[in-house]
Amino acid sequence: MVFSTAAGDQLVADLTHLVALPTVGSQKNHDHDLATSASVIAQMWTDVGCKDVQVIDSLGAPAIVARFPAPVGAPTLCFYAHHDVQPAGAGDDWDHPPFTLVRDSDRLYGRGSADDKGAIAAHLATLRAWEGQPPIGVVVLIEGEEEIGSPSMGQFLDQYADLVKADGFVILDSGNWQVGQPAFTTTLRGVCDAIIEVRTLRQGVHSGQFGGVYPDALTTLCRLVATLHNEAGEVTLDGSGPATSFNVEIDRDDLRKSATVVDSLTEIGSGTLADRLWAGVSVSVIGMDTVSIEEASNTLIPSARAKVSIRIPPGTTPTKILDSLENHCQTHVPWGAEVQVIRGAEANPAMVDTGGPLVQAGMKAYKHAFGVDPVFIGQGGAIPLVNELMKAFPQAEFLITAIADPGSHMHGPNESVSFMDLCRTVSAQVALMEEYCVVKSG
């Protein structure tokens, strides 16, 4: 497929419309934006010729399902993306307004451009290339709560599995190896979180009267949280060793640049970079409740809380890791303080079978569009719906790929996507439909 200038202009116009909607799923004041977005996306699918478009908003954030019936004897693919996004954060951190799509050379900047509204635009362009009449059956599933862990999607699949049933699922929400170099994801780490609460006193007391004899809760909490890693930065929870290994070499300098680390920062953990990112457990403190510096007084703080996020690879489960966290805290809390672990969200890891017809067809289609073979990689992030889809459709195949690249800065300021990679992805998806027909028919 030769991607025309007109098709590229339309793709950018679609993405501009989508990025302008601040669909921040974690903030209730944006519920209206999610509802508006669902209506806009539904109309977009109607405009590309889909006669069966539904917005389902009875279970959680609104999801959109668009269905193109399969010709007789043809297989069906489900193309996935999500329309919720992360908060933009401080506007001063952005070079452009976060909810205004800005093009600068090959990059398209804006919140959601790479994660994951660019994928919606790519799916639209793919079906537009077929003038709404693809050679296979197509289901498009756009969910609205991926960024908060897809809490309602298990129930969604219980009730609406027949709407999204397919022979294969194309998940366009991972990461590519680099610009111009596609990647197929074989493993996804799961994620869980918990709040660790430490109490040393029943109430705050004068630090001059009691300091030096009794510890404050914040110092105690900090010492406890520090035991979650050893001196080398390796996670100390039981079951945190790598479950598999990846024969892929990540460029250390590129990774540091992508992560925006300060010059003096050293690495933590051991093993290859790929194994640490994709095959090991990681523990991060992502929030803390304590007295602010502005409100601090000479008082021993009686209680403090920290929220930890744990990424887990295939080979273990959130339940096992949270059990290990709870046992670790009970046995490592210093000075006899009281400790409680309050469990939060859980999403299981996933492993993808790459030996079936869908990945075989995908290899040909993406080689045709990008000019190079896809790289097989893991991902440190989670796509919670993947595990739910695997449970709901155990016979289905999965192709997990991306529009984002290491420079996309997903979840951070100045999020962006390569315009050329978006175009290449559309060409690959158009070719994939044809190749999948051929491979499935034998």
Side-chain angles (χ1 to χ4, degrees), residues 50 52-56 63-67 139-142 156 163-164:
C50 185
D52 182 2
V53 184
Q54 299 183 48
V55 174
I56 299 170
I64 306 95
V65 178
R67 292 158 47 92
V139 179
V140 181
L141 171 60
I142 312 296
F156 175 94
L163 281 181
V164 298

Side-chain angles (χ1 to χ4, degrees), residues 370-383:
F370 282 79
V372 293
D373 289 320
V375 178
F376 287 92
I377 65 172
Q379 281 293 326
I383 307 176

Side-chain angles (χ1 to χ4, degrees), residues 16 18 46 95 98 147 181 210 256 271 289 328 334 357 360 396 426:
T16 298
L18 293 167
T46 300
D95 295 334
E147 297 293 4
Q181 174 71 72
F210 301 103
R256 290 182 68 86
D289 285 343
H328 181 97
Q360 181 182 343
V426 174

Side-chain angles (χ1 to χ4, degrees), residues 270-340:
S270 61
T272 69
L273 294 176
D275 287 352
R276 276 181 271 176
L277 287 172
W278 306 332
V281 174
S282 69
V283 178
S284 305
V285 178
I286 60 172
M288 188 170 284
D289 285 343
T290 185
V291 178
S292 69
I293 291 175
E294 184 178 332
E295 297 177 350
S297 63
N298 288 317
T299 303
L300 298 183
I301 298 171
S303 66
R305 307 196 308 168
K307 185 172 184 177
V308 295
S309 175
I310 307 175
R311 297 286 178 167
I312 55 174
T316 189
T317 66
T319 298
K320 289 180 181 179
I321 287 295
L322 289 174
D323 286 347
S324 178
L325 175 68
E326 189 164 358
N327 180 68
H328 181 97
C329 289
Q330 293 293 344
T331 57
H332 286 77
V333 64
W335 305 315
E338 295 179 355
V339 62
Q340 181 181 13

